[in-house]
Amino acid sequence: MSTSHHLFCDTFSDLVLFTCAPFLASAVEGYLGFSEKAALIILSLSFVAAVVGSSPMKGLFAAFLGLFIASIGTGEDSYPRMSMGTDTLQSGVLMITAVLGVLILGEVLVAFEDMYRTRRDRPASGLKTSWK
């Protein structure tokens, strides 16, 4: 019951975010100046640092990776940023590509963490596990 409830709530919040984010972004672009946008970015990075819990470095790494990926594309000055000379990246990263990348990268990192924990917890062969 609890797992299905969390799954439903997570899926619902993701759908609300994907639905409302474009409208919020257009409102921010239309009404806020540069200094307000910079303050909003600093505030959101502070929220990420506060929410991540026991591992703030993971949260900050994820936030800065997201900012790096978000900066790919053509800016307001019509100059392509980090597009590496390709026409595909000049319009930015597609939403479906970003969503699939987040989901797949998350599973890959969980698999690496599980593999690390099993290797760490397993005693090495040929070594004594107790001192006498």
Side-chain angles (χ1 to χ4, degrees):
M1 174 74 180
S2 177
T3 304
S4 62
H5 177 71
H6 289 288
L7 180 66
F8 172 75
C9 290
D10 184 45
T11 304
F12 179 72
S13 67
D14 289 344
L15 290 175
V16 169
L17 176 68
F18 292 150
T19 305
C20 295
F23 301 113
L24 290 173
S26 63
V28 166
E29 285 293 322
Y31 297 112
L32 296 181
F34 178 74
S35 59
E36 290 89 2
K37 288 178 191 176
L40 187 63
I41 290 172
I42 292 171
L43 178 69
S44 62
L45 289 176
S46 301
F47 280 146
V48 168
V51 171
V52 293
S54 65
S55 182
M57 290 305 291
K58 285 183 187 178
L60 288 175
F61 176 74
F64 284 117
L65 181 64
L67 286 172
F68 175 73
I69 292 173
S71 65
I72 296 174
T74 303
E76 292 179 3
D77 57 354
S78 299
Y79 186 76
R81 299 173 301 199
M82 294 189 288
S83 63
M84 294 175 263
T86 63
D87 294 334
T88 307
L89 288 178
Q90 285 184 357
S91 61
V93 178
L94 297 175
M95 178 63 83
I96 189 68
T97 306
V99 169
L100 286 175
V102 165
L103 295 174
I104 291 170
L105 186 63
E107 288 299 318
V108 167
L109 292 176
V110 166
F112 279 143
E113 185 177 14
D114 289 341
M115 184 175 62
Y116 171 74
R117 287 187 180 178
T118 56
R119 284 188 179 180
R120 183 187 64 186
D121 295 339
R122 181 179 57 196
S125 61
L127 297 177
K128 293 182 181 181
T129 58
S130 63
W131 294 88
K132 290 187 181 183

mmCIF file of all heavy atoms in Angstrom, residues 3-45:
data_model
loop_
_atom_site.group_PDB
_atom_site.id
_atom_site.type_symbol
_atom_site.label_atom_id
_atom_site.label_comp_id
_atom_site.label_asym_id
_atom_site.label_seq_id
_atom_site.Cartn_x
_atom_site.Cartn_y
_atom_site.Cartn_z
ATOM 1 N N THR A 3 4.053 1.697 -0.899
ATOM 2 C CA THR A 3 4.863 1.866 -2.107
ATOM 3 C C THR A 3 4.011 2.358 -3.261
ATOM 4 O O THR A 3 4.422 3.247 -4.007
ATOM 5 C CB THR A 3 5.547 0.541 -2.470
ATOM 6 O OG1 THR A 3 6.303 0.101 -1.347
ATOM 7 C CG2 THR A 3 6.450 0.721 -3.666
ATOM 8 N N SER A 4 2.827 1.790 -3.422
ATOM 9 C CA SER A 4 1.962 2.230 -4.521
ATOM 10 C C SER A 4 1.489 3.666 -4.301
ATOM 11 O O SER A 4 1.335 4.424 -5.255
ATOM 12 C CB SER A 4 0.769 1.290 -4.668
ATOM 13 O OG SER A 4 -0.018 1.314 -3.498
ATOM 14 N N HIS A 5 1.263 4.040 -3.042
ATOM 15 C CA HIS A 5 0.868 5.416 -2.747
ATOM 16 C C HIS A 5 1.992 6.391 -3.110
ATOM 17 O O HIS A 5 1.750 7.436 -3.727
ATOM 18 C CB HIS A 5 0.509 5.539 -1.263
ATOM 19 C CG HIS A 5 0.168 6.934 -0.843
ATOM 20 N ND1 HIS A 5 -1.002 7.546 -1.238
ATOM 21 C CD2 HIS A 5 0.847 7.825 -0.094
ATOM 22 C CE1 HIS A 5 -1.029 8.779 -0.729
ATOM 23 N NE2 HIS A 5 0.081 8.966 -0.028
ATOM 24 N N HIS A 6 3.230 6.058 -2.748
ATOM 25 C CA HIS A 6 4.366 6.918 -3.084
ATOM 26 C C HIS A 6 4.572 6.995 -4.588
ATOM 27 O O HIS A 6 4.894 8.056 -5.123
ATOM 28 C CB HIS A 6 5.640 6.425 -2.406
ATOM 29 C CG HIS A 6 5.650 6.649 -0.931
ATOM 30 N ND1 HIS A 6 5.798 7.896 -0.384
ATOM 31 C CD2 HIS A 6 5.525 5.790 0.101
ATOM 32 C CE1 HIS A 6 5.764 7.801 0.925
ATOM 33 N NE2 HIS A 6 5.601 6.533 1.255
ATOM 34 N N LEU A 7 4.375 5.871 -5.276
ATOM 35 C CA LEU A 7 4.519 5.855 -6.730
ATOM 36 C C LEU A 7 3.475 6.748 -7.382
ATOM 37 O O LEU A 7 3.781 7.521 -8.294
ATOM 38 C CB LEU A 7 4.406 4.418 -7.249
ATOM 39 C CG LEU A 7 4.529 4.242 -8.760
ATOM 40 C CD1 LEU A 7 5.935 4.619 -9.200
ATOM 41 C CD2 LEU A 7 4.228 2.820 -9.140
ATOM 42 N N PHE A 8 2.246 6.666 -6.913
ATOM 43 C CA PHE A 8 1.178 7.506 -7.467
ATOM 44 C C PHE A 8 1.465 8.980 -7.218
ATOM 45 O O PHE A 8 1.330 9.810 -8.114
ATOM 46 C CB PHE A 8 -0.182 7.117 -6.862
ATOM 47 C CG PHE A 8 -1.277 8.063 -7.242
ATOM 48 C CD1 PHE A 8 -1.819 8.029 -8.520
ATOM 49 C CD2 PHE A 8 -1.734 9.010 -6.348
ATOM 50 C CE1 PHE A 8 -2.814 8.915 -8.887
ATOM 51 C CE2 PHE A 8 -2.729 9.898 -6.696
ATOM 52 C CZ PHE A 8 -3.277 9.849 -7.976
ATOM 53 N N CYS A 9 1.865 9.321 -5.999
ATOM 54 C CA CYS A 9 2.132 10.726 -5.666
ATOM 55 C C CYS A 9 3.316 11.271 -6.447
ATOM 56 O O CYS A 9 3.294 12.415 -6.907
ATOM 57 C CB CYS A 9 2.366 10.869 -4.171
ATOM 58 S SG CYS A 9 0.879 10.619 -3.191
ATOM 59 N N ASP A 10 4.349 10.449 -6.624
ATOM 60 C CA ASP A 10 5.511 10.883 -7.392
ATOM 61 C C ASP A 10 5.133 11.105 -8.850
ATOM 62 O O ASP A 10 5.529 12.105 -9.461
ATOM 63 C CB ASP A 10 6.626 9.855 -7.264
ATOM 64 C CG ASP A 10 7.886 10.312 -7.961
ATOM 65 O OD1 ASP A 10 8.258 11.486 -7.798
ATOM 66 O OD2 ASP A 10 8.498 9.488 -8.672
ATOM 67 N N THR A 11 4.374 10.193 -9.425
ATOM 68 C CA THR A 11 3.952 10.329 -10.814
ATOM 69 C C THR A 11 3.053 11.549 -10.985
ATOM 70 O O THR A 11 3.200 12.311 -11.945
ATOM 71 C CB THR A 11 3.208 9.063 -11.269
ATOM 72 O OG1 THR A 11 4.049 7.933 -11.057
ATOM 73 C CG2 THR A 11 2.835 9.145 -12.731
ATOM 74 N N PHE A 12 2.135 11.756 -10.042
ATOM 75 C CA PHE A 12 1.244 12.916 -10.115
ATOM 76 C C PHE A 12 2.030 14.221 -10.030
ATOM 77 O O PHE A 12 1.779 15.162 -10.794
ATOM 78 C CB PHE A 12 0.197 12.847 -8.997
ATOM 79 C CG PHE A 12 -0.746 14.008 -8.995
ATOM 80 C CD1 PHE A 12 -1.717 14.137 -9.977
ATOM 81 C CD2 PHE A 12 -0.646 14.987 -8.015
ATOM 82 C CE1 PHE A 12 -2.576 15.218 -9.980
ATOM 83 C CE2 PHE A 12 -1.502 16.067 -8.011
ATOM 84 C CZ PHE A 12 -2.478 16.185 -9.000
ATOM 85 N N SER A 13 2.994 14.301 -9.114
ATOM 86 C CA SER A 13 3.780 15.528 -8.987
ATOM 87 C C SER A 13 4.631 15.770 -10.231
ATOM 88 O O SER A 13 4.807 16.924 -10.640
ATOM 89 C CB SER A 13 4.649 15.485 -7.739
ATOM 90 O OG SER A 13 5.647 14.489 -7.868
ATOM 91 N N ASP A 14 5.141 14.703 -10.853
ATOM 92 C CA ASP A 14 5.892 14.860 -12.097
ATOM 93 C C ASP A 14 5.001 15.401 -13.211
ATOM 94 O O ASP A 14 5.413 16.277 -13.978
ATOM 95 C CB ASP A 14 6.513 13.538 -12.526
ATOM 96 C CG ASP A 14 7.662 13.127 -11.634
ATOM 97 O OD1 ASP A 14 8.172 13.984 -10.895
ATOM 98 O OD2 ASP A 14 8.039 11.931 -11.673
ATOM 99 N N LEU A 15 3.785 14.890 -13.312
ATOM 100 C CA LEU A 15 2.860 15.369 -14.344
ATOM 101 C C LEU A 15 2.482 16.832 -14.122
ATOM 102 O O LEU A 15 2.401 17.613 -15.079
ATOM 103 C CB LEU A 15 1.600 14.498 -14.374
ATOM 104 C CG LEU A 15 1.793 13.075 -14.901
ATOM 105 C CD1 LEU A 15 0.503 12.280 -14.764
ATOM 106 C CD2 LEU A 15 2.246 13.102 -16.342
ATOM 107 N N VAL A 16 2.255 17.220 -12.873
ATOM 108 C CA VAL A 16 1.949 18.619 -12.576
ATOM 109 C C VAL A 16 3.137 19.501 -12.931
ATOM 110 O O VAL A 16 2.983 20.580 -13.518
ATOM 111 C CB VAL A 16 1.543 18.784 -11.097
ATOM 112 C CG1 VAL A 16 1.493 20.247 -10.693
ATOM 113 C CG2 VAL A 16 0.205 18.119 -10.840
ATOM 114 N N LEU A 17 4.346 19.050 -12.606
ATOM 115 C CA LEU A 17 5.542 19.825 -12.926
ATOM 116 C C LEU A 17 5.703 19.987 -14.434
ATOM 117 O O LEU A 17 5.946 21.095 -14.926
ATOM 118 C CB LEU A 17 6.782 19.162 -12.334
ATOM 119 C CG LEU A 17 8.110 19.820 -12.690
ATOM 120 C CD1 LEU A 17 8.213 21.185 -12.031
ATOM 121 C CD2 LEU A 17 9.262 18.943 -12.289
ATOM 122 N N PHE A 18 5.549 18.896 -15.199
ATOM 123 C CA PHE A 18 5.723 18.976 -16.649
ATOM 124 C C PHE A 18 4.634 19.834 -17.287
ATOM 125 O O PHE A 18 4.858 20.460 -18.319
ATOM 126 C CB PHE A 18 5.715 17.586 -17.276
ATOM 127 C CG PHE A 18 6.910 16.758 -16.922
ATOM 128 C CD1 PHE A 18 6.825 15.384 -16.858
ATOM 129 C CD2 PHE A 18 8.126 17.340 -16.652
ATOM 130 C CE1 PHE A 18 7.924 14.614 -16.532
ATOM 131 C CE2 PHE A 18 9.232 16.574 -16.330
ATOM 132 C CZ PHE A 18 9.129 15.205 -16.267
ATOM 133 N N THR A 19 3.455 19.875 -16.673
ATOM 134 C CA THR A 19 2.366 20.675 -17.221
ATOM 135 C C THR A 19 2.543 22.156 -16.891
ATOM 136 O O THR A 19 2.308 23.015 -17.742
ATOM 137 C CB THR A 19 1.012 20.182 -16.663
ATOM 138 O OG1 THR A 19 0.888 18.786 -16.933
ATOM 139 C CG2 THR A 19 -0.142 20.920 -17.300
ATOM 140 N N CYS A 20 2.949 22.467 -15.676
ATOM 141 C CA CYS A 20 3.020 23.866 -15.223
ATOM 142 C C CYS A 20 4.351 24.543 -15.507
ATOM 143 O O CYS A 20 4.412 25.780 -15.538
ATOM 144 C CB CYS A 20 2.739 23.927 -13.724
ATOM 145 S SG CYS A 20 1.069 23.415 -13.297
ATOM 146 N N ALA A 21 5.411 23.787 -15.690
ATOM 147 C CA ALA A 21 6.741 24.384 -15.857
ATOM 148 C C ALA A 21 6.840 25.333 -17.054
ATOM 149 O O ALA A 21 7.434 26.412 -16.918
ATOM 150 C CB ALA A 21 7.798 23.293 -15.938
ATOM 151 N N PRO A 22 6.294 25.005 -18.236
ATOM 152 C CA PRO A 22 6.412 25.971 -19.341
ATOM 153 C C PRO A 22 5.724 27.308 -19.058
ATOM 154 O O PRO A 22 6.240 28.365 -19.424
ATOM 155 C CB PRO A 22 5.744 25.257 -20.520
ATOM 156 C CG PRO A 22 5.822 23.824 -20.189
ATOM 157 C CD PRO A 22 5.724 23.739 -18.706
ATOM 158 N N PHE A 23 4.573 27.272 -18.371
ATOM 159 C CA PHE A 23 3.880 28.513 -18.056
ATOM 160 C C PHE A 23 4.654 29.330 -17.029
ATOM 161 O O PHE A 23 4.735 30.560 -17.131
ATOM 162 C CB PHE A 23 2.465 28.209 -17.546
ATOM 163 C CG PHE A 23 1.635 27.450 -18.552
ATOM 164 C CD1 PHE A 23 1.250 26.156 -18.305
ATOM 165 C CD2 PHE A 23 1.265 28.049 -19.749
ATOM 166 C CE1 PHE A 23 0.509 25.458 -19.224
ATOM 167 C CE2 PHE A 23 0.514 27.359 -20.678
ATOM 168 C CZ PHE A 23 0.128 26.053 -20.420
ATOM 169 N N LEU A 24 5.218 28.658 -16.037
ATOM 170 C CA LEU A 24 6.033 29.360 -15.044
ATOM 171 C C LEU A 24 7.286 29.957 -15.683
ATOM 172 O O LEU A 24 7.700 31.066 -15.340
ATOM 173 C CB LEU A 24 6.416 28.420 -13.909
ATOM 174 C CG LEU A 24 5.280 28.004 -12.979
ATOM 175 C CD1 LEU A 24 5.768 26.937 -12.012
ATOM 176 C CD2 LEU A 24 4.747 29.201 -12.243
ATOM 177 N N ALA A 25 7.886 29.209 -16.607
ATOM 178 C CA ALA A 25 9.093 29.711 -17.276
ATOM 179 C C ALA A 25 8.789 30.941 -18.119
ATOM 180 O O ALA A 25 9.561 31.901 -18.122
ATOM 181 C CB ALA A 25 9.700 28.616 -18.143
ATOM 182 N N SER A 26 7.661 30.937 -18.814
ATOM 183 C CA SER A 26 7.318 32.113 -19.618
ATOM 184 C C SER A 26 6.978 33.304 -18.722
ATOM 185 O O SER A 26 7.284 34.447 -19.061
ATOM 186 C CB SER A 26 6.174 31.809 -20.570
ATOM 187 O OG SER A 26 5.007 31.479 -19.842
ATOM 188 N N ALA A 27 6.362 33.056 -17.565
ATOM 189 C CA ALA A 27 6.085 34.149 -16.631
ATOM 190 C C ALA A 27 7.376 34.721 -16.077
ATOM 191 O O ALA A 27 7.515 35.949 -15.944
ATOM 192 C CB ALA A 27 5.193 33.655 -15.498
ATOM 193 N N VAL A 28 8.330 33.858 -15.758
ATOM 194 C CA VAL A 28 9.619 34.327 -15.240
ATOM 195 C C VAL A 28 10.352 35.124 -16.305
ATOM 196 O O VAL A 28 10.926 36.176 -16.025
ATOM 197 C CB VAL A 28 10.464 33.132 -14.751
ATOM 198 C CG1 VAL A 28 11.907 33.522 -14.538
ATOM 199 C CG2 VAL A 28 9.880 32.573 -13.469
ATOM 200 N N GLU A 29 10.336 34.655 -17.538
ATOM 201 C CA GLU A 29 11.030 35.364 -18.615
ATOM 202 C C GLU A 29 10.411 36.728 -18.877
ATOM 203 O O GLU A 29 11.104 37.679 -19.214
ATOM 204 C CB GLU A 29 11.008 34.532 -19.908
ATOM 205 C CG GLU A 29 11.952 33.367 -19.905
ATOM 206 C CD GLU A 29 13.405 33.793 -19.907
ATOM 207 O OE1 GLU A 29 13.746 34.792 -20.574
ATOM 208 O OE2 GLU A 29 14.192 33.141 -19.231
ATOM 209 N N GLY A 30 9.091 36.817 -18.740
ATOM 210 C CA GLY A 30 8.421 38.069 -19.068
ATOM 211 C C GLY A 30 8.507 39.129 -17.999
ATOM 212 O O GLY A 30 8.516 40.329 -18.307
ATOM 213 N N TYR A 31 8.566 38.766 -16.735
ATOM 214 C CA TYR A 31 8.417 39.744 -15.667
ATOM 215 C C TYR A 31 9.656 39.959 -14.805
ATOM 216 O O TYR A 31 9.705 40.927 -14.066
ATOM 217 C CB TYR A 31 7.256 39.350 -14.751
ATOM 218 C CG TYR A 31 5.932 39.348 -15.482
ATOM 219 C CD1 TYR A 31 5.254 38.168 -15.710
ATOM 220 C CD2 TYR A 31 5.379 40.534 -15.949
ATOM 221 C CE1 TYR A 31 4.049 38.169 -16.392
ATOM 222 C CE2 TYR A 31 4.180 40.547 -16.627
ATOM 223 C CZ TYR A 31 3.515 39.357 -16.845
ATOM 224 O OH TYR A 31 2.341 39.351 -17.513
ATOM 225 N N LEU A 32 10.621 39.069 -14.860
ATOM 226 C CA LEU A 32 11.790 39.219 -13.994
ATOM 227 C C LEU A 32 12.994 39.710 -14.793
ATOM 228 O O LEU A 32 13.213 39.312 -15.932
ATOM 229 C CB LEU A 32 12.144 37.891 -13.325
ATOM 230 C CG LEU A 32 11.111 37.307 -12.365
ATOM 231 C CD1 LEU A 32 11.617 36.014 -11.769
ATOM 232 C CD2 LEU A 32 10.760 38.283 -11.272
ATOM 233 N N GLY A 33 13.785 40.556 -14.151
ATOM 234 C CA GLY A 33 15.016 41.037 -14.758
ATOM 235 C C GLY A 33 16.179 40.102 -14.429
ATOM 236 O O GLY A 33 16.013 39.037 -13.819
ATOM 237 N N PHE A 34 17.381 40.517 -14.817
ATOM 238 C CA PHE A 34 18.553 39.663 -14.620
ATOM 239 C C PHE A 34 18.846 39.418 -13.148
ATOM 240 O O PHE A 34 19.126 38.287 -12.742
ATOM 241 C CB PHE A 34 19.776 40.289 -15.304
ATOM 242 C CG PHE A 34 21.019 39.500 -15.097
ATOM 243 C CD1 PHE A 34 21.215 38.315 -15.774
ATOM 244 C CD2 PHE A 34 21.995 39.938 -14.217
ATOM 245 C CE1 PHE A 34 22.357 37.560 -15.576
ATOM 246 C CE2 PHE A 34 23.139 39.196 -14.008
ATOM 247 C CZ PHE A 34 23.320 38.017 -14.690
ATOM 248 N N SER A 35 18.791 40.457 -12.333
ATOM 249 C CA SER A 35 19.128 40.282 -10.915
ATOM 250 C C SER A 35 18.112 39.395 -10.204
ATOM 251 O O SER A 35 18.481 38.584 -9.345
ATOM 252 C CB SER A 35 19.230 41.640 -10.228
ATOM 253 O OG SER A 35 17.994 42.337 -10.345
ATOM 254 N N GLU A 36 16.827 39.495 -10.566
ATOM 255 C CA GLU A 36 15.819 38.633 -9.958
ATOM 256 C C GLU A 36 15.995 37.184 -10.388
ATOM 257 O O GLU A 36 15.806 36.260 -9.600
ATOM 258 C CB GLU A 36 14.408 39.116 -10.307
ATOM 259 C CG GLU A 36 14.000 40.408 -9.657
ATOM 260 C CD GLU A 36 14.376 41.615 -10.489
ATOM 261 O OE1 GLU A 36 14.928 41.429 -11.596
ATOM 262 O OE2 GLU A 36 14.131 42.738 -10.036
ATOM 263 N N LYS A 37 16.368 36.980 -11.661
ATOM 264 C CA LYS A 37 16.617 35.615 -12.146
ATOM 265 C C LYS A 37 17.823 35.005 -11.433
ATOM 266 O O LYS A 37 17.805 33.826 -11.070
ATOM 267 C CB LYS A 37 16.848 35.612 -13.656
ATOM 268 C CG LYS A 37 15.613 35.866 -14.465
ATOM 269 C CD LYS A 37 15.954 35.881 -15.945
ATOM 270 C CE LYS A 37 14.816 36.399 -16.769
ATOM 271 N NZ LYS A 37 15.182 36.507 -18.195
ATOM 272 N N ALA A 38 18.874 35.801 -11.230
ATOM 273 C CA ALA A 38 20.055 35.296 -10.529
ATOM 274 C C ALA A 38 19.704 34.935 -9.088
ATOM 275 O O ALA A 38 20.145 33.891 -8.574
ATOM 276 C CB ALA A 38 21.172 36.330 -10.565
ATOM 277 N N ALA A 39 18.901 35.763 -8.436
ATOM 278 C CA ALA A 39 18.477 35.459 -7.068
ATOM 279 C C ALA A 39 17.613 34.201 -7.024
ATOM 280 O O ALA A 39 17.725 33.392 -6.097
ATOM 281 C CB ALA A 39 17.710 36.642 -6.484
ATOM 282 N N LEU A 40 16.770 34.009 -8.028
ATOM 283 C CA LEU A 40 15.936 32.806 -8.096
ATOM 284 C C LEU A 40 16.786 31.551 -8.290
ATOM 285 O O LEU A 40 16.517 30.510 -7.675
ATOM 286 C CB LEU A 40 14.918 32.944 -9.234
ATOM 287 C CG LEU A 40 13.867 31.880 -9.352
ATOM 288 C CD1 LEU A 40 12.976 31.873 -8.116
ATOM 289 C CD2 LEU A 40 13.032 32.107 -10.594
ATOM 290 N N ILE A 41 17.827 31.649 -9.094
ATOM 291 C CA ILE A 41 18.724 30.508 -9.298
ATOM 292 C C ILE A 41 19.469 30.175 -8.008
ATOM 293 O O ILE A 41 19.589 29.009 -7.615
ATOM 294 C CB ILE A 41 19.706 30.791 -10.456
ATOM 295 C CG1 ILE A 41 18.958 30.782 -11.782
ATOM 296 C CG2 ILE A 41 20.838 29.778 -10.477
ATOM 297 C CD1 ILE A 41 19.781 31.240 -12.954
ATOM 298 N N ILE A 42 19.968 31.202 -7.315
ATOM 299 C CA ILE A 42 20.657 30.965 -6.042
ATOM 300 C C ILE A 42 19.713 30.364 -5.013
ATOM 301 O O ILE A 42 20.080 29.438 -4.272
ATOM 302 C CB ILE A 42 21.294 32.273 -5.535
ATOM 303 C CG1 ILE A 42 22.447 32.680 -6.462
ATOM 304 C CG2 ILE A 42 21.783 32.131 -4.104
ATOM 305 C CD1 ILE A 42 22.997 34.051 -6.194
ATOM 306 N N LEU A 43 18.477 30.843 -4.970
ATOM 307 C CA LEU A 43 17.486 30.295 -4.051
ATOM 308 C C LEU A 43 17.181 28.835 -4.362
ATOM 309 O O LEU A 43 17.116 27.996 -3.460
ATOM 310 C CB LEU A 43 16.201 31.118 -4.112
ATOM 311 C CG LEU A 43 15.054 30.642 -3.234
ATOM 312 C CD1 LEU A 43 15.417 30.868 -1.766
ATOM 313 C CD2 LEU A 43 13.780 31.356 -3.600
ATOM 314 N N SER A 44 17.049 28.495 -5.640
ATOM 315 C CA SER A 44 16.758 27.106 -5.998
ATOM 316 C C SER A 44 17.940 26.192 -5.692
ATOM 317 O O SER A 44 17.746 25.055 -5.235
ATOM 318 C CB SER A 44 16.365 27.003 -7.472
ATOM 319 O OG SER A 44 17.432 27.413 -8.295
ATOM 320 N N LEU A 45 19.165 26.659 -5.886
ATOM 321 C CA LEU A 45 20.327 25.847 -5.524
ATOM 322 C C LEU A 45 20.422 25.673 -4.009
ATOM 323 O O LEU A 45 20.838 24.615 -3.529
ATOM 324 C CB LEU A 45 21.609 26.476 -6.065
ATOM 325 C CG LEU A 45 21.800 26.401 -7.577
ATOM 326 C CD1 LEU A 45 23.052 27.146 -7.992
ATOM 327 C CD2 LEU A 45 21.841 24.969 -8.042
#
